């Protein structure tokens, strides 16, 4: 566009353009996937060859002249749009992807505004189940192969492919397979049209009604960056937010459903003392009395934010309490699910609550509780029954103060209960497995 840009050998036109904020439309190109140059939407005029070439697959070289705004470029992109819209249904008003559809945006920006196609459109299956969480509308698919490449290259689950030829090409799962890996919903995010939809979210809410809040996935210590989509205190979906240092543009399917566990009937909603609902002041007075009687133990939580751990550290120092933390371990998948299934274990190292990463099970504090050395026990979000501590047996010797978002057997035995907020209802910071400090914001009000 009559300006000079620096580029490295091996870079493509689209990479240089993106780096310099020059907009080139694209459907099949994705920064984190291999290049196939199949959609032809990124055609740009290159002077030496005197014709439009795909910007995603053409390497730059010295003295190359690229024009992303010339008439030739515009005509090429307009023609591509016209071809794509020949068979694509013009059903934006009822399409679940309206408002976040590349085809819808580009048809306004680069299309001709009306269709010259008078013949009958191709008819294909409208509601195909690709897997437990993804539904396909084949008529809307523009065959960009993003979903196919994502499954092969990122999720390492080669399950999708095209069958039949030309106009009849159709996306499908290989015989006997389905799109059920824990990354399947990323195909919905990267599908540039409304072909792939989340079975859970489809037809629930128009995206332009939803508020978007930056958050962090608490499923594991990876700390995938996320966006919470909510309206009037209700969360409708969670999608990944781009952070190339942490999760690129992906997240797990399981992490997207975490908000549902906080919608359950088991949420704790009031302070209580001796299992009777009380005011916050009463709960604090009861807690103070217990803490002042000495012999305090604390079982902390790696789900607590850095700020909460900092305050807890003050309580631990002030009362001289013994402190322990449980590590929750599961199987890692080598991608965005780490073995450590908590978001902020490393935060406890930084706040000084612990000096080294803990064992999976309780160590010394368990013995101290069972020997009667600990009289008052503060428990954060853990269930003592699952840690093999029998509260009924210890009822006379240990008084429990429980902080947690949901009921469990510990809250049901506790002397004092403080209902706490879920990650969606508060703001704070977590430290992920690579010691990256990340903020999360409040998306909805607590119950
Ligand atoms: Fe591309 Fe979407 Fe079709 Fe997959 S379903 S090939 S992502 S248009």
């Amino acid at each position: 566009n009559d300006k000079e840009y620096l580029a490295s050998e091996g870079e493509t036109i689209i990479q240089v353009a993106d780096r310099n904020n020059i907009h080139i439309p694209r459907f099949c190109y994705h920064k984190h996937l291999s290049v196939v140059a199949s959609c032809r939407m990124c055609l740009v005029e290159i002077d030496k060859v005197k014709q439009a070439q795909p910007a995603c697959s053409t390497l730059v070289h010295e003295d190359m002249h690229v024009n992303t705004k010339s008439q030739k470029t515009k005509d090429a992109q307009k023609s591509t749009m016209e071809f794509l819209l020949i068979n694509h249904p013009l059903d934006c008003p009822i399409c679940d992807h309206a408002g976040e559809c590349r085809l819808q945006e580009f048809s306004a920006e680069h299309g001709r505004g009306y269709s010259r196609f008078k013949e009958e459109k191709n008819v294909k299956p409208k509601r195909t189940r690709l897997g437990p969480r993804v539904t396909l509308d084949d008529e809307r698919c523009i065959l960009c192969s993003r979903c196919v490449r994502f499954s092969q290259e990122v999720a390492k689950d080669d399950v999708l492919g095209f069958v039949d030829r030309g106009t009849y090409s159709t996306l499908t799962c290989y015989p006997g397979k389905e799109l059920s890996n824990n990354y399947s919903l990323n195909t919905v995010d990267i599908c540039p049209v409304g072909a792939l939809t989340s079975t859970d979210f489809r037809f629930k809410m128009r995206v332009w009604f939803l508020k978007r809040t930056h958050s962090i996935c608490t499923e594991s210590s990876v700390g995938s960056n996320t966006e919470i989509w909510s309206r009037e205190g209700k969360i409708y979906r969670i999608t990944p937010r781009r952070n190339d240092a942490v999760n690129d543009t992906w997240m797990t399917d399981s992490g997207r459903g975490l908000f549902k566990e906080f919608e359950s009937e088991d949420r704790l909603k009031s302070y209580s003392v001796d299992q009777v609902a009380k005011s916050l002041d009463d709960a604090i007075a009861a807690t103070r009395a217990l803490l002042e009687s000495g012999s305090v133990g604390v079982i902390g939580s790696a789900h607590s934010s850095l700020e909460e751990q900092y305050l807890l550290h003050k309580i631990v120092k002030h009362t001289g309490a013994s402190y322990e933390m449980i590590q929750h371990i599961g199987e890692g998948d080598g991608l965005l699910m780490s073995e450590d299934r908590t978001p902020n274990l490393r935060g406890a190292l930084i706040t000084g609550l612990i000096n080294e990463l803990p064992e999976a099970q309780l160590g010394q504090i368990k013995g101290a509780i069972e020997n009667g050395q600990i009289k008052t026990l503060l428990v954060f979000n853990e269930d003592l029954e699952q840690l093999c501590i029998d509260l009924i047996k210890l009822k006379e010797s240990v008084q429990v103060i429980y902080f947690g978002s949901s009921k469990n057997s510990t809250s049901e035995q506790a002397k004092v209960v403080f209902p706490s907020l879920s990650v969606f209802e508060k703001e704070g910071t977590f430290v992920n497995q690579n010691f990256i400090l990340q903020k999360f914001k409040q998306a909805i009000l607590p119950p």
Side-chain angles (χ1 to χ4, degrees):
N1 301 347
D2 298 324
K3 278 191 189 158
E4 274 192 22
Y5 294 96
L6 281 177
S8 317
E9 205 177 327
E11 276 190 297
T12 57
I13 297 172
I14 211 164
Q15 286 173 324
V16 179
D18 282 355
R19 202 174 53 243
N20 291 289
N21 296 321
I22 300 166
H23 169 65
I24 298 176
R26 79 287 305 262
F27 291 114
C28 69
Y29 175 77
H30 189 285
K31 189 175 182 267
H32 296 298
L33 300 176
S34 59
V35 172
V36 286
S38 65
C39 75
R40 320 309 279 183
M41 192 61 211
C42 67
L43 291 172
V44 287
E45 184 184 354
I46 300 169
D47 64 352
K48 297 244 168 71
V49 285
K50 297 278 179 237
Q51 62 179 11
Q53 296 281 314
C56 67
S57 63
T58 307
L59 298 180
V60 292
H61 58 77
E62 209 170 343
D63 291 336
M64 180 186 242
H65 290 234
V66 178
N67 199 320
T68 65
K69 296 176 184 161
S70 68
Q71 197 53 46
K72 193 172 267 180
T73 298
K74 284 182 189 159
D75 288 346
Q77 292 171 353
K78 197 185 268 187
S79 302
T80 300
M81 276 308 302
E82 192 170 14
F83 272 119
L84 288 173
L85 291 173
I86 281 181
N87 277 308
H88 190 90
L90 299 177
D91 62 352
C92 303
I94 56 145
C95 175
D96 207 43
H97 216 51
E100 53 182 0
C101 173
R102 281 276 172 89
L103 194 71
Q104 190 182 34
E105 286 164 22
F106 292 166
S107 67
E109 271 174 52
H110 308 283
R112 65 169 54 241
Y114 67 94
S115 176
R116 292 188 290 173
F117 191 69
K118 300 273 190 292
E119 292 77 12
E120 297 230 330
K121 283 180 186 271
N122 214 353
V123 176
K124 288 183 183 174
K126 292 294 283 177
R127 197 167 50 222
T128 306
R129 180 189 186 273
L130 288 185
R133 293 174 290 282
V134 181
T135 303
L136 165 70
D137 182 328
D138 248 319
E139 280 180 359
R140 294 188 187 141
C141 174
I142 58 164
L143 307 168
C144 75
S145 82
R146 276 183 170 196
C147 56
V148 178
R149 282 174 286 143
F150 172 83
S151 302
Q152 288 171 344
E153 296 165 15
V154 182
K156 309 281 185 228
D157 183 23
D158 194 1
V159 58
L160 294 173
F162 296 119
V163 291
D164 298 335
R165 300 196 140 224
T167 303
Y168 301 104
S169 281
T170 303
L171 178 74
T172 187
C173 288
Y174 292 135
K177 290 191 170 183
E178 63 171 14
L179 182 64
S180 57
N181 64 65
N182 197 23
Y183 291 88
S184 71
L185 284 168
N186 292 283
T187 61
V188 175
D189 299 332
I190 57 172
C191 178
V193 296
L196 296 179
T197 48
S198 153
T199 310
D200 181 51
F201 177 69
R202 72 201 302 255
F203 305 128
K204 292 242 173 86
M205 185 55 73
R206 286 308 205 177
V207 290
W208 53 85
F209 290 137
L210 296 175
K211 182 182 79 166
R212 295 156 74 162
T213 310
H214 286 190
S215 192
I216 301 294
C217 182
T218 56
E219 185 182 38
S220 80
S221 59
V222 170
S224 294
N225 291 212
T226 61
E227 211 153 44
I228 314 289
W229 299 69
S230 63
R231 187 183 183 193
E232 291 172 9
K234 182 174 164 53
I235 296 175
Y236 284 85
R237 67 172 181 182
I238 298 179
T239 56
R241 181 164 49 90
R242 182 174 164 189
N243 184 341
D244 289 349
V246 179
N247 55 304
D248 291 345
T249 41
W250 323 123
M251 74 177 289
T252 57
D253 290 2
S254 40
R256 294 173 197 246
L258 288 184
F259 67 92
K260 292 187 179 163
E261 72 186 59
F262 296 103
E263 290 174 346
S264 88
E265 288 296 304
D266 284 345
R267 276 304 292 269
L268 287 168
K269 293 179 189 161
S270 55
Y271 307 96
S272 70
V273 179
D274 289 323
Q275 300 295 315
V276 178
K278 293 277 172 165
S279 69
L280 172 61
D281 287 344
D282 290 342
I284 289 175
T287 301
R288 174 176 291 152
L290 287 172
L291 291 181
E292 279 171 354
S293 67
S295 314
V296 180
V298 179
I299 297 178
S301 168
H303 276 272
S304 301
S305 70
L306 201 63
E307 294 77 3
E308 288 163 340
Q309 293 189 353
Y310 168 77
L311 293 172
L312 185 57
H313 190 218
K314 285 190 155 191
I315 296 178
V316 169
K317 260 172 69 179
H318 191 74
T319 56
S322 358
Y323 181 81
E324 262 196 66
M325 205 168 196
I326 319 295
Q327 196 173 19
H328 291 268
I329 298 287
E331 206 178 319
D333 68 359
L335 204 53
L336 295 178
M337 176 91 88
S338 62
E339 289 182 358
D340 172 10
R341 293 296 168 76
T342 57
N344 199 26
L345 194 61
R346 280 138 196 93
L349 285 173
I350 289 170
T351 48
L353 271 170
I354 53 172
N355 297 320
E356 55 186 25
L357 295 182
E359 300 295 326
Q361 283 302 320
L362 276 184
Q364 288 179 342
I365 208 169
K366 188 171 181 221
I369 297 166
E370 286 168 348
N371 293 341
Q373 286 163 267
I374 286 176
K375 301 265 182 266
T376 302
L377 188 61
L378 261 75
V379 182
F380 290 81
N381 276 314
E382 299 286 355
D383 191 358
L384 295 180
E385 196 176 86
Q386 285 182 7
L387 300 170
C388 301
I389 295 179
D390 186 350
L391 272 183
I392 298 179
K393 219 166 96 188
L394 296 170
K395 210 169 177 182
E396 300 307 314
S397 54
V398 184
Q399 303 284 8
V400 173
I401 303 162
Y402 180 76
F403 290 78
S405 50
S406 302
K407 282 181 208 154
N408 61 20
S409 64
T410 305
S411 73
E412 276 161 13
Q413 302 287 332
K415 170 95 177 158
V416 189
V417 173
F418 289 87
S420 65
L421 304 179
S422 75
V423 67
F424 309 108
E425 297 151 359
K426 62 188 178 187
E427 65 173 39
T429 40
F430 290 139
V431 179
N432 87 343
Q433 59 179 4
N434 295 325
F435 288 90
I436 298 176
L437 184 74
Q438 307 196 98
K439 261 182 193 303
F440 58 91
K441 299 266 183 203
Q442 180 181 15
I444 54 169
L445 290 171

